[in-house]
Amino acid sequence: MAVIKNTRRNKLVIERFIKRVMDVALSSIILLAISPLLVMIALLILLLDGKPIFFRQKRVGQYEQEYTMWKFRSMTNRHHLNKPRYTWNGHVPEDFVFKSASADRVTPVGRILRKYSLDELPQFVHVLFGQMSIVGPRPEVPEITKFYNENQRRRLRVKPGITGFAQVNGRSSISHGEKIQFDNLYVDKQTFGMDVRIILKTVLVVVSGKSSY
C-alpha cells in the first residue's frame, strides 16, 4: 500500500513539474509572438476610449491566495468603477449564472475583445510569474469565493487558468453549478494529456466565438 501511495505521489510531482515547464515555455513563446498584437490592442483602447488601458481586479488563486489580475479594459470607465456585489443567504446557488454585460456597458473595441477572448491575453504574464496556469479553473472574485461551500472550494486546490475544462464545455452559457462540476472533475483527473486536449479545444472555441460574452 505504501508503495502505491509513493508511486501516485511521485507521478503527481512529475505531472506538476511538466505542467509548470509547459506553462513557462508556452507563455514565453506566446507573449513574444503576440507582442505586436498587445501593443495594437493597447493603442486602440487608448485612442478610441482613453485611459485606463487595463482593468485590474482582485481574484482568488490556488489555496485561496489573492492576487491582482490584469485584463484589457472592455467596458466604459464608469461601469468598470461600479463593482458588482454578491450576497446570498448561505452558499453560492448552483443555478447562479453571470449576466452578460449589456451593450451600453461594453465599448466597441471591447465587444471584439470579449468575443475572441483577446481581453484575457495579458494574463499570460500571470502564467509566467506562477500566479496562474494556462489550463485550470477560471479565477474567481473574493466576493464569490467567500460564499463557497466545501465542495465548491475544491476548485481552489489548483492554480487558476486562462482556459479550463468548463470553458471548453459551455464557456459563459453554463450555470455556476455546472462550472464547478467541470472544474472539480479537472482537479481530480488532470493530466498533461488532458491539458493539451483542453488547449486545442480552446483554440476552436475562441476562433468560433461560441458562447462568448
Side-chain angles (χ1 to χ4, degrees), residues 88-144:
W88 292 287
N89 294 322
H91 299 301
V92 184
E94 293 292 310
D95 59 353
F96 170 65
V97 178
F98 286 98
K99 293 182 179 179
S100 300
S102 58
D104 65 316
R105 299 175 62 190
V106 182
T107 65
V109 175
R111 279 194 288 272
I112 298 175
L113 298 182
R114 283 171 170 253
K115 182 174 179 62
Y116 297 104
S117 297
L118 297 175
D119 56 326
E120 312 283 358
L121 293 180
Q123 291 167 38
F124 280 105
V125 175
H126 293 303
V127 176
L128 192 60
F129 289 160
Q131 296 164 313
M132 294 179 63
S133 181
I134 290 179
V135 179
R138 284 296 295 160
E140 193 71 274
V141 295
E143 290 81 5
I144 291 180

Side-chain angles (χ1 to χ4, degrees), residues 7-25:
T7 301
R8 289 175 178 173
R9 187 180 299 111
N10 292 336
K11 183 179 179 181
L12 181 61
V13 170
I14 293 173
E15 288 278 357
R16 287 178 176 175
F17 175 75
I18 293 174
K19 184 180 180 71
R20 181 58 186 155
V21 170
M22 182 179 73
D23 280 344
V24 172

Side-chain angles (χ1 to χ4, degrees), residues 56 58 65 78 91 96 98 123 139 145 177 181 202 208 212:
R56 294 175 296 175
K58 285 289 184 183
Q65 296 295 311
R78 62 189 181 90
H91 299 301
F96 170 65
F98 286 98
Q123 291 167 38
T145 59
Q181 289 178 18
T202 297
S208 68
S212 61

Side-chain angles (χ1 to χ4, degrees), residues 171-189:
R171 208 172 175 183
S172 60
S173 63
I174 59 178
S175 69
H176 176 80
E178 292 170 314
K179 180 183 72 173
I180 293 294
Q181 289 178 18
F182 283 122
D183 287 341
N184 283 342
L185 183 61
Y186 174 78
V187 170
D188 295 336
K189 304 292 185 180

Side-chain angles (χ1 to χ4, degrees), residues 48-118:
L48 298 180
D49 200 51
K51 296 180 180 180
I53 294 171
F54 297 101
F55 169 62
R56 294 175 296 175
Q57 187 181 50
K58 285 289 184 183
R59 295 295 176 99
V60 180
Q62 187 178 26
Y63 304 131
E64 302 184 49
Q65 296 295 311
E66 292 186 15
Y67 69 101
T68 302
M69 190 185 74
W70 290 57
K71 301 172 63 173
F72 280 122
R73 182 168 62 85
S74 59
M75 291 196 295
T76 58
N77 282 320
R78 62 189 181 90
H79 284 108
H80 267 306
L81 292 174
N82 296 327
K83 296 181 180 180
R85 298 185 181 278
Y86 305 97
T87 55
W88 292 287
N89 294 322
H91 299 301
V92 184
E94 293 292 310
D95 59 353
F96 170 65
V97 178
F98 286 98
K99 293 182 179 179
S100 300
S102 58
D104 65 316
R105 299 175 62 190
V106 182
T107 65
V109 175
R111 279 194 288 272
I112 298 175
L113 298 182
R114 283 171 170 253
K115 182 174 179 62
Y116 297 104
S117 297
L118 297 175

